[in-house]
């Protein structure tokens, strides 16, 4: 187990810089998720930690040692790939044992290790099978097994669940989380799926265009996004952002009505007022907070709740109604979010206004 | 009964005609090898009085077995060499980024455009200067690595996902072991194809072995068989018997390797 530190990490391909000097410190045993849209540099960062990409600048430390010039095999890390990358010409047992390629254990000790890992992952019955005879989930488990068998300093996961179907993905998510609790190994997990990030991470690192935007626990990111991008990226459905114009002690919304704004500093008078769909519910309008009225355009029944899309002054606003209370399309509906559940962003810089 | 589409009938007919064209010479070869000298120009496929005398005569002639062994040595060594070196170079060109990579590849590929007839003279001069004339090495050296094989293997290695190689790199294998233990097993279909082509090409090679060898002890089978034709009068039944025996190893090699060609193991370890 080990800490991982990135100091001013840079990656360039020719003239193009894809990672712009990022700093990140990952604690021993922590489960950190790098999340962001495709092309944000998250996989490149992970591959640099693994040693599969050379770094163009900065420093990587694993367990306190600078590993910039270390070969992947000398970094004592294990990696799980999106495509599993388990060897088709080897049995499950051989694939898992491959993780011990450099280990000095005796043959019987290796076999014992493989069996232990297979047991832990529910692969004991499949040890003599070839990958072609396994399901997607089983293959991914073999890949995890190969990573685990060595007891590495850190696990690196490169979008390992993206090829699985929704149900299997949820199941594997739980299994990986459970394994992490059991083994306590430092883990870095890359995904573009914010639900995976929220459910698995001790800390989430939001990346965009090769830069880190925000680092925090899932709840911190959900509650206090530092900019519009993070606010929209974290949480599903995405946060409503309503344009408004500041005036004394409040702001006038483009969709009509006004809202109180805590003392804040914006570069211009144009701001965005944010409200998560889960906070925007059909109730009688309160005196304080955000009130939006409009015509119901789309209704999505999820069972536990119902998502309601209303059209108000040309803008679509998403709210949520309790599961059994299903509005009809075309109904006039008023949604309300309490003041303390609102977010405020500068429309020009897209940064959150420092709320007090 | 399911309806048979007209396209199928045309395809089958064409395949049948192709099959007949391919198989007829083989049948005549076998048939002639079972005839005695007086029946050679009798074109019946099934001989009137089949005899194994030709086989007995040829196999008891020490020269023939010697040529057979020579051909076997040449074909096996050259095939192994091609499987090793072509795939090693093909892998390097497919999977490593280095300065001049493209130039090297084009240089190798451009040698495909030079006809063998043009190369024979420099080969001969080279063999002569190195003292390789009339030796096994003299027969083998021009074919130890081929541009075609390198090209074929490079194309196949490009299809091997990098994830496999990177996973192996993380597991601690060195680059040579990654090639040998991970990449090679993933391209067995291509290796089989290369092995079959190379073996056949060298087993039937005539022109270069004829030029580079002078002593009958070093003749390969095709060169030796051709000497049957010119020694006295042309002895077709002997030539056909020799050719029938010569066909056997290629048949065996093909039957043995074809299942590897058919079996595409490549993608089974990836998402599926």
């Amino acid at each position: 187990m080990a800490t991982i530190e990135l100091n001013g990490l840079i990656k360039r391909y020719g003239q193009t810089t894809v990672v712009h000097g990022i700093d990140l410190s990952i604690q021993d045993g922590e489960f950190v998720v790098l999340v962001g849209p495709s092309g944000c540099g998250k996989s490149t960062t992970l591959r640099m930690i693994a040693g599969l990409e050379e770094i163009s600048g900065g420093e990587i430390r694993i367990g306190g040692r600078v590993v910039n010039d270390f070969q992947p095999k000398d970094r004592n890390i294990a990696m799980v790939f999106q495509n599993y990358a388990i060897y088709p010409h080897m049995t499950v047992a051989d694939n898992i044992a491959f993780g011990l390629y450099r280990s000095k254990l005796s043959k019987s000790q290796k076999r014992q290790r493989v069996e232990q890992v297979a047991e832990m992952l529910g692969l004991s019955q499949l040890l003599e099978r070839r990958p072609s005879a396994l399901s997607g989930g089983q293959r991914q488990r073999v890949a995890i097994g190969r990573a685990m068998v060595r007891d590495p300093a850190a696990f690196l996961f490169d979008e390992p669940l993206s090829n699985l179907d929704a149900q299997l993905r949820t199941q594997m998510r739980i299994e990986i989380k459970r394994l992490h609790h059991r083994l306590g190994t430092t883990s870095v997990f890359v995904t573009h799926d914010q639900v995976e990030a929220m459910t698995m991470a001790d800390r989430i690192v939001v990346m965009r265009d090769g830069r880190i935007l925000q680092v925090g626990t899932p709840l911190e990111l959900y509650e206090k996004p530092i900019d519009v991008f993070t606010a929209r990226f974290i949480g599903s459905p995405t946060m409503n952002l309503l344009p408004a114009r500041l005036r004394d002690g409040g702001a006038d919304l483009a969709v009509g009505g006004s809202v109180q704004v805590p003392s804040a500093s914006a570069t211009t008078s144009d701001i965005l007022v944010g409200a998560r769909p889960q906070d925007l519910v059909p109730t009688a309008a309160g005196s304080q907070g955000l009130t939006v009225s409009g015509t119901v355009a789309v209704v999505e029944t999820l069972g536990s709740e119902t998502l309601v899309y209303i059209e108000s002054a040309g803008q679509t606003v998403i709210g949520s109604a309790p599961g059994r209370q299903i509005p009809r399309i075309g109904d006039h509906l008023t949604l309300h979010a309490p003041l303390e559940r609102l977010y405020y962003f500068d429309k020009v810089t897209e940064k959150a206004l420092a709320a007090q | 009964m399911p309806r048979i589409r007209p396209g199928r009938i045309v395809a089958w007919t064409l395949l049948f005609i192709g099959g007949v064209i391919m198989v007829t010479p083989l049948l005549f070869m076998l048939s002639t090898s079972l005839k005695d000298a007086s029946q050679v120009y009798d074109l019946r496929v099934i001989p009137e009085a089949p005899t194994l005398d030709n086989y007995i005569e040829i196999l008891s002639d020490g020269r023939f077995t010697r040529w057979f062994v020579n051909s076997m040595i040449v074909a096996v060594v050259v095939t192994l060499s091609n499987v090793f070196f072509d795939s090693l170079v093909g892998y390097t060109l497919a999977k490593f980024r280095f300065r001049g990579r493209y130039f090297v590849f084009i240089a190798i590929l451009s040698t495909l455009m030079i006809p063998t007839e043009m190369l024979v003279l420099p080969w001969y001069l080279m063999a002569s200067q190195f003292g390789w004339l009339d030796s096994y090495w003299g027969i083998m050296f021009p074919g130890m690595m081929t541009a075609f094989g390198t090209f074929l293997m490079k194309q196949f290695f490009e299809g091997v996902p990098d994830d496999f190689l990177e996973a192996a790199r993380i597991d601690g294998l060195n680059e040579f072991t990654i090639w040998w233990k991970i990449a090679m097993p993933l391209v067995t279909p291509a290796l089989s194809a290369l092995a079959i082509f190379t073996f056949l090409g060298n087993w039937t090679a005539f022109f270069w072995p004829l030029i580079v060898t002078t002593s009958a002890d070093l003749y390969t089978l095709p060169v030796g068989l051709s000497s049957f034709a010119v020694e006295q009068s042309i002895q077709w039944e002997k030539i056909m018997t020799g050719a029938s025996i010569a066909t056997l190893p290629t048949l065996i090699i093909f039957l043995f390797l074809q299942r590897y060609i058919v079996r595409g193991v490549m993608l089974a370890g990836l998402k599926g």
Side-chain angles (χ1 to χ4, degrees), chain A residues 145-170:
Chain A
R146 185 175 62 195
M148 270 171 59
V149 73
R150 185 142 49 93
D151 200 13
F155 286 126
L156 308 178
F157 296 91
D158 190 4
E159 307 210 21
L161 309 181
S162 351
N163 284 335
L164 303 177
D165 62 48
Q167 201 181 353
L168 212 51
R169 201 179 309 160
T170 314

PDB file of all heavy atoms in Angstrom, chain A residues 145-170:
ATOM      1  N   GLY A 145      -8.655 -10.254 -10.654  1.00  0.00           N
ATOM      2  CA  GLY A 145      -7.892 -11.301  -9.961  1.00  0.00           C
ATOM      3  C   GLY A 145      -6.412 -11.209 -10.280  1.00  0.00           C
ATOM      4  O   GLY A 145      -5.556 -11.301  -9.391  1.00  0.00           O
ATOM      5  N   ARG A 146      -6.100 -10.998 -11.560  1.00  0.00           N
ATOM      6  CA  ARG A 146      -4.701 -10.900 -11.964  1.00  0.00           C
ATOM      7  C   ARG A 146      -4.033  -9.698 -11.288  1.00  0.00           C
ATOM      8  O   ARG A 146      -2.863  -9.727 -10.953  1.00  0.00           O
ATOM      9  CB  ARG A 146      -4.620 -10.754 -13.487  1.00  0.00           C
ATOM     10  CG  ARG A 146      -3.206 -10.775 -13.994  1.00  0.00           C
ATOM     11  CD  ARG A 146      -3.156 -10.763 -15.491  1.00  0.00           C
ATOM     12  NE  ARG A 146      -3.749  -9.551 -16.035  1.00  0.00           N
ATOM     13  CZ  ARG A 146      -4.095  -9.399 -17.305  1.00  0.00           C
ATOM     14  NH1 ARG A 146      -3.951 -10.400 -18.147  1.00  0.00           N
ATOM     15  NH2 ARG A 146      -4.614  -8.275 -17.732  1.00  0.00           N
ATOM     16  N   ALA A 147      -4.848  -8.639 -11.109  1.00  0.00           N
ATOM     17  CA  ALA A 147      -4.300  -7.447 -10.452  1.00  0.00           C
ATOM     18  C   ALA A 147      -4.104  -7.686  -8.953  1.00  0.00           C
ATOM     19  O   ALA A 147      -3.115  -7.279  -8.365  1.00  0.00           O
ATOM     20  CB  ALA A 147      -5.232  -6.260 -10.682  1.00  0.00           C
ATOM     21  N   MET A 148      -5.065  -8.403  -8.340  1.00  0.00           N
ATOM     22  CA  MET A 148      -5.052  -8.587  -6.885  1.00  0.00           C
ATOM     23  C   MET A 148      -3.990  -9.557  -6.386  1.00  0.00           C
ATOM     24  O   MET A 148      -3.455  -9.410  -5.292  1.00  0.00           O
ATOM     25  CB  MET A 148      -6.397  -9.168  -6.442  1.00  0.00           C
ATOM     26  CG  MET A 148      -7.448  -8.175  -6.085  1.00  0.00           C
ATOM     27  SD  MET A 148      -9.002  -9.064  -5.859  1.00  0.00           S
ATOM     28  CE  MET A 148      -8.563 -10.211  -4.556  1.00  0.00           C
ATOM     29  N   VAL A 149      -3.697 -10.555  -7.223  1.00  0.00           N
ATOM     30  CA  VAL A 149      -2.928 -11.702  -6.764  1.00  0.00           C
ATOM     31  C   VAL A 149      -1.537 -11.284  -6.268  1.00  0.00           C
ATOM     32  O   VAL A 149      -0.925 -11.929  -5.443  1.00  0.00           O
ATOM     33  CB  VAL A 149      -2.835 -12.750  -7.902  1.00  0.00           C
ATOM     34  CG1 VAL A 149      -1.878 -12.301  -8.999  1.00  0.00           C
ATOM     35  CG2 VAL A 149      -2.445 -14.102  -7.375  1.00  0.00           C
ATOM     36  N   ARG A 150      -1.087 -10.128  -6.755  1.00  0.00           N
ATOM     37  CA  ARG A 150       0.293  -9.717  -6.484  1.00  0.00           C
ATOM     38  C   ARG A 150       0.412  -8.880  -5.218  1.00  0.00           C
ATOM     39  O   ARG A 150       1.505  -8.613  -4.758  1.00  0.00           O
ATOM     40  CB  ARG A 150       0.734  -8.904  -7.684  1.00  0.00           C
ATOM     41  CG  ARG A 150       2.157  -8.468  -7.714  1.00  0.00           C
ATOM     42  CD  ARG A 150       2.704  -8.532  -9.109  1.00  0.00           C
ATOM     43  NE  ARG A 150       1.832  -7.898 -10.097  1.00  0.00           N
ATOM     44  CZ  ARG A 150       1.948  -6.640 -10.479  1.00  0.00           C
ATOM     45  NH1 ARG A 150       2.828  -5.866  -9.913  1.00  0.00           N
ATOM     46  NH2 ARG A 150       1.163  -6.159 -11.428  1.00  0.00           N
ATOM     47  N   ASP A 151      -0.724  -8.431  -4.679  1.00  0.00           N
ATOM     48  CA  ASP A 151      -0.694  -7.538  -3.527  1.00  0.00           C
ATOM     49  C   ASP A 151       0.098  -6.266  -3.850  1.00  0.00           C
ATOM     50  O   ASP A 151       1.112  -5.969  -3.217  1.00  0.00           O
ATOM     51  CB  ASP A 151      -0.074  -8.276  -2.329  1.00  0.00           C
ATOM     52  CG  ASP A 151      -0.455  -7.591  -1.023  1.00  0.00           C
ATOM     53  OD1 ASP A 151      -1.365  -6.738  -1.071  1.00  0.00           O
ATOM     54  OD2 ASP A 151       0.169  -7.899   0.005  1.00  0.00           O
ATOM     55  N   PRO A 152      -0.357  -5.507  -4.825  1.00  0.00           N
ATOM     56  CA  PRO A 152       0.412  -4.354  -5.298  1.00  0.00           C
ATOM     57  C   PRO A 152       0.273  -3.151  -4.366  1.00  0.00           C
ATOM     58  O   PRO A 152      -0.580  -3.138  -3.480  1.00  0.00           O
ATOM     59  CB  PRO A 152      -0.240  -4.034  -6.639  1.00  0.00           C
ATOM     60  CG  PRO A 152      -1.658  -4.456  -6.457  1.00  0.00           C
ATOM     61  CD  PRO A 152      -1.642  -5.625  -5.512  1.00  0.00           C
ATOM     62  N   ALA A 153       1.105  -2.129  -4.620  1.00  0.00           N
ATOM     63  CA  ALA A 153       1.046  -0.895  -3.829  1.00  0.00           C
ATOM     64  C   ALA A 153      -0.228  -0.124  -4.148  1.00  0.00           C
ATOM     65  O   ALA A 153      -0.776   0.568  -3.299  1.00  0.00           O
ATOM     66  CB  ALA A 153       2.262  -0.033  -4.134  1.00  0.00           C
ATOM     67  N   ALA A 154      -0.694  -0.225  -5.383  1.00  0.00           N
ATOM     68  CA  ALA A 154      -1.911   0.494  -5.779  1.00  0.00           C
ATOM     69  C   ALA A 154      -2.581  -0.204  -6.953  1.00  0.00           C
ATOM     70  O   ALA A 154      -1.923  -0.834  -7.775  1.00  0.00           O
ATOM     71  CB  ALA A 154      -1.561   1.921  -6.168  1.00  0.00           C
ATOM     72  N   PHE A 155      -3.904  -0.082  -6.981  1.00  0.00           N
ATOM     73  CA  PHE A 155      -4.672  -0.565  -8.126  1.00  0.00           C
ATOM     74  C   PHE A 155      -5.013   0.616  -9.013  1.00  0.00           C
ATOM     75  O   PHE A 155      -5.463   1.659  -8.532  1.00  0.00           O
ATOM     76  CB  PHE A 155      -6.010  -1.155  -7.682  1.00  0.00           C
ATOM     77  CG  PHE A 155      -5.911  -2.490  -7.037  1.00  0.00           C
ATOM     78  CD1 PHE A 155      -6.468  -2.711  -5.785  1.00  0.00           C
ATOM     79  CD2 PHE A 155      -5.298  -3.541  -7.681  1.00  0.00           C
ATOM     80  CE1 PHE A 155      -6.395  -3.947  -5.180  1.00  0.00           C
ATOM     81  CE2 PHE A 155      -5.215  -4.787  -7.083  1.00  0.00           C
ATOM     82  CZ  PHE A 155      -5.770  -4.993  -5.832  1.00  0.00           C
ATOM     83  N   LEU A 156      -4.849   0.434 -10.305  1.00  0.00           N
ATOM     84  CA  LEU A 156      -5.290   1.459 -11.252  1.00  0.00           C
ATOM     85  C   LEU A 156      -6.386   0.845 -12.113  1.00  0.00           C
ATOM     86  O   LEU A 156      -6.201  -0.216 -12.696  1.00  0.00           O
ATOM     87  CB  LEU A 156      -4.113   1.907 -12.120  1.00  0.00           C
ATOM     88  CG  LEU A 156      -2.851   2.334 -11.376  1.00  0.00           C
ATOM     89  CD1 LEU A 156      -1.752   2.706 -12.354  1.00  0.00           C
ATOM     90  CD2 LEU A 156      -3.135   3.508 -10.440  1.00  0.00           C
ATOM     91  N   PHE A 157      -7.522   1.491 -12.170  1.00  0.00           N
ATOM     92  CA  PHE A 157      -8.642   0.975 -12.975  1.00  0.00           C
ATOM     93  C   PHE A 157      -8.921   1.953 -14.115  1.00  0.00           C
ATOM     94  O   PHE A 157      -9.221   3.122 -13.867  1.00  0.00           O
ATOM     95  CB  PHE A 157      -9.915   0.876 -12.128  1.00  0.00           C
ATOM     96  CG  PHE A 157      -9.843  -0.101 -10.989  1.00  0.00           C
ATOM     97  CD1 PHE A 157      -9.424   0.300  -9.734  1.00  0.00           C
ATOM     98  CD2 PHE A 157     -10.236  -1.417 -11.171  1.00  0.00           C
ATOM     99  CE1 PHE A 157      -9.380  -0.594  -8.670  1.00  0.00           C
ATOM    100  CE2 PHE A 157     -10.206  -2.316 -10.108  1.00  0.00           C
ATOM    101  CZ  PHE A 157      -9.774  -1.896  -8.856  1.00  0.00           C
ATOM    102  N   ASP A 158      -8.834   1.476 -15.344  1.00  0.00           N
ATOM    103  CA  ASP A 158      -9.088   2.354 -16.485  1.00  0.00           C
ATOM    104  C   ASP A 158     -10.466   2.026 -17.083  1.00  0.00           C
ATOM    105  O   ASP A 158     -10.584   1.120 -17.897  1.00  0.00           O
ATOM    106  CB  ASP A 158      -7.995   2.179 -17.540  1.00  0.00           C
ATOM    107  CG  ASP A 158      -8.074   3.236 -18.620  1.00  0.00           C
ATOM    108  OD1 ASP A 158      -8.926   4.137 -18.511  1.00  0.00           O
ATOM    109  OD2 ASP A 158      -7.294   3.162 -19.585  1.00  0.00           O
ATOM    110  N   GLU A 159     -11.481   2.708 -16.642  1.00  0.00           N
ATOM    111  CA  GLU A 159     -12.861   2.499 -17.075  1.00  0.00           C
ATOM    112  C   GLU A 159     -13.208   1.005 -17.154  1.00  0.00           C
ATOM    113  O   GLU A 159     -13.625   0.512 -18.190  1.00  0.00           O
ATOM    114  CB  GLU A 159     -13.095   3.139 -18.453  1.00  0.00           C
ATOM    115  CG  GLU A 159     -12.678   4.591 -18.487  1.00  0.00           C
ATOM    116  CD  GLU A 159     -13.498   5.421 -19.451  1.00  0.00           C
ATOM    117  OE1 GLU A 159     -14.621   5.000 -19.788  1.00  0.00           O
ATOM    118  OE2 GLU A 159     -13.018   6.488 -19.846  1.00  0.00           O
ATOM    119  N   PRO A 160     -13.041   0.283 -16.057  1.00  0.00           N
ATOM    120  CA  PRO A 160     -13.187  -1.167 -16.151  1.00  0.00           C
ATOM    121  C   PRO A 160     -14.626  -1.638 -16.334  1.00  0.00           C
ATOM    122  O   PRO A 160     -14.849  -2.785 -16.685  1.00  0.00           O
ATOM    123  CB  PRO A 160     -12.636  -1.656 -14.818  1.00  0.00           C
ATOM    124  CG  PRO A 160     -12.865  -0.532 -13.885  1.00  0.00           C
ATOM    125  CD  PRO A 160     -12.740   0.719 -14.684  1.00  0.00           C
ATOM    126  N   LEU A 161     -15.586  -0.776 -16.098  1.00  0.00           N
ATOM    127  CA  LEU A 161     -16.974  -1.246 -16.138  1.00  0.00           C
ATOM    128  C   LEU A 161     -17.709  -0.809 -17.400  1.00  0.00           C
ATOM    129  O   LEU A 161     -18.864  -1.189 -17.602  1.00  0.00           O
ATOM    130  CB  LEU A 161     -17.737  -0.748 -14.896  1.00  0.00           C
ATOM    131  CG  LEU A 161     -17.059  -1.027 -13.553  1.00  0.00           C
ATOM    132  CD1 LEU A 161     -17.921  -0.523 -12.398  1.00  0.00           C
ATOM    133  CD2 LEU A 161     -16.804  -2.516 -13.372  1.00  0.00           C
ATOM    134  N   SER A 162     -17.053  -0.040 -18.241  1.00  0.00           N
ATOM    135  CA  SER A 162     -17.803   0.539 -19.375  1.00  0.00           C
ATOM    136  C   SER A 162     -18.308  -0.490 -20.371  1.00  0.00           C
ATOM    137  O   SER A 162     -19.234  -0.217 -21.115  1.00  0.00           O
ATOM    138  CB  SER A 162     -16.975   1.562 -20.134  1.00  0.00           C
ATOM    139  OG  SER A 162     -15.815   1.852 -19.494  1.00  0.00           O
ATOM    140  N   ASN A 163     -17.689  -1.678 -20.392  1.00  0.00           N
ATOM    141  CA  ASN A 163     -18.144  -2.661 -21.374  1.00  0.00           C
ATOM    142  C   ASN A 163     -19.210  -3.604 -20.832  1.00  0.00           C
ATOM    143  O   ASN A 163     -19.640  -4.514 -21.517  1.00  0.00           O
ATOM    144  CB  ASN A 163     -16.965  -3.487 -21.872  1.00  0.00           C
ATOM    145  CG  ASN A 163     -16.115  -2.708 -22.845  1.00  0.00           C
ATOM    146  OD1 ASN A 163     -16.612  -1.782 -23.486  1.00  0.00           O
ATOM    147  ND2 ASN A 163     -14.856  -3.047 -22.946  1.00  0.00           N
ATOM    148  N   LEU A 164     -19.617  -3.382 -19.590  1.00  0.00           N
ATOM    149  CA  LEU A 164     -20.599  -4.294 -18.988  1.00  0.00           C
ATOM    150  C   LEU A 164     -22.000  -3.704 -19.119  1.00  0.00           C
ATOM    151  O   LEU A 164     -22.163  -2.486 -19.236  1.00  0.00           O
ATOM    152  CB  LEU A 164     -20.266  -4.501 -17.511  1.00  0.00           C
ATOM    153  CG  LEU A 164     -18.869  -5.043 -17.213  1.00  0.00           C
ATOM    154  CD1 LEU A 164     -18.651  -5.122 -15.714  1.00  0.00           C
ATOM    155  CD2 LEU A 164     -18.666  -6.407 -17.844  1.00  0.00           C
ATOM    156  N   ASP A 165     -23.005  -4.566 -19.089  1.00  0.00           N
ATOM    157  CA  ASP A 165     -24.364  -4.029 -19.162  1.00  0.00           C
ATOM    158  C   ASP A 165     -24.739  -3.406 -17.810  1.00  0.00           C
ATOM    159  O   ASP A 165     -24.055  -3.621 -16.802  1.00  0.00           O
ATOM    160  CB  ASP A 165     -25.374  -5.087 -19.602  1.00  0.00           C
ATOM    161  CG  ASP A 165     -25.456  -6.247 -18.642  1.00  0.00           C
ATOM    162  OD1 ASP A 165     -25.575  -6.000 -17.427  1.00  0.00           O
ATOM    163  OD2 ASP A 165     -25.395  -7.400 -19.090  1.00  0.00           O
ATOM    164  N   ALA A 166     -25.817  -2.646 -17.805  1.00  0.00           N
ATOM    165  CA  ALA A 166     -26.137  -1.796 -16.657  1.00  0.00           C
ATOM    166  C   ALA A 166     -26.206  -2.592 -15.345  1.00  0.00           C
ATOM    167  O   ALA A 166     -25.647  -2.176 -14.325  1.00  0.00           O
ATOM    168  CB  ALA A 166     -27.444  -1.080 -16.902  1.00  0.00           C
ATOM    169  N   GLN A 167     -26.852  -3.748 -15.401  1.00  0.00           N
ATOM    170  CA  GLN A 167     -27.044  -4.530 -14.170  1.00  0.00           C
ATOM    171  C   GLN A 167     -25.706  -5.045 -13.636  1.00  0.00           C
ATOM    172  O   GLN A 167     -25.402  -4.935 -12.448  1.00  0.00           O
ATOM    173  CB  GLN A 167     -27.973  -5.693 -14.485  1.00  0.00           C
ATOM    174  CG  GLN A 167     -28.631  -6.261 -13.263  1.00  0.00           C
ATOM    175  CD  GLN A 167     -29.526  -7.431 -13.621  1.00  0.00           C
ATOM    176  OE1 GLN A 167     -29.751  -7.723 -14.796  1.00  0.00           O
ATOM    177  NE2 GLN A 167     -30.032  -8.110 -12.617  1.00  0.00           N
ATOM    178  N   LEU A 168     -24.908  -5.575 -14.563  1.00  0.00           N
ATOM    179  CA  LEU A 168     -23.609  -6.122 -14.198  1.00  0.00           C
ATOM    180  C   LEU A 168     -22.688  -5.025 -13.678  1.00  0.00           C
ATOM    181  O   LEU A 168     -21.883  -5.228 -12.777  1.00  0.00           O
ATOM    182  CB  LEU A 168     -22.989  -6.774 -15.435  1.00  0.00           C
ATOM    183  CG  LEU A 168     -22.093  -7.971 -15.204  1.00  0.00           C
ATOM    184  CD1 LEU A 168     -22.788  -8.981 -14.323  1.00  0.00           C
ATOM    185  CD2 LEU A 168     -21.728  -8.609 -16.528  1.00  0.00           C
ATOM    186  N   ARG A 169     -22.846  -3.843 -14.266  1.00  0.00           N
ATOM    187  CA  ARG A 169     -22.009  -2.723 -13.867  1.00  0.00           C
ATOM    188  C   ARG A 169     -22.266  -2.373 -12.404  1.00  0.00           C
ATOM    189  O   ARG A 169     -21.352  -2.189 -11.623  1.00  0.00           O
ATOM    190  CB  ARG A 169     -22.325  -1.522 -14.768  1.00  0.00           C
ATOM    191  CG  ARG A 169     -21.231  -0.514 -14.786  1.00  0.00           C
ATOM    192  CD  ARG A 169     -21.567   0.628 -15.700  1.00  0.00           C
ATOM    193  NE  ARG A 169     -21.975   0.186 -17.025  1.00  0.00           N
ATOM    194  CZ  ARG A 169     -22.675   0.924 -17.871  1.00  0.00           C
ATOM    195  NH1 ARG A 169     -23.073   2.134 -17.520  1.00  0.00           N
ATOM    196  NH2 ARG A 169     -23.000   0.467 -19.053  1.00  0.00           N
ATOM    197  N   THR A 170     -23.547  -2.352 -12.044  1.00  0.00           N
ATOM    198  CA  THR A 170     -23.900  -2.047 -10.658  1.00  0.00           C
ATOM    199  C   THR A 170     -23.323  -3.103  -9.726  1.00  0.00           C
ATOM    200  O   THR A 170     -22.746  -2.790  -8.687  1.00  0.00           O
ATOM    201  CB  THR A 170     -25.435  -2.023 -10.497  1.00  0.00           C
ATOM    202  OG1 THR A 170     -25.953  -1.275 -11.579  1.00  0.00           O
ATOM    203  CG2 THR A 170     -25.846  -1.412  -9.191  1.00  0.00           C
TER     204      THR A 170
END
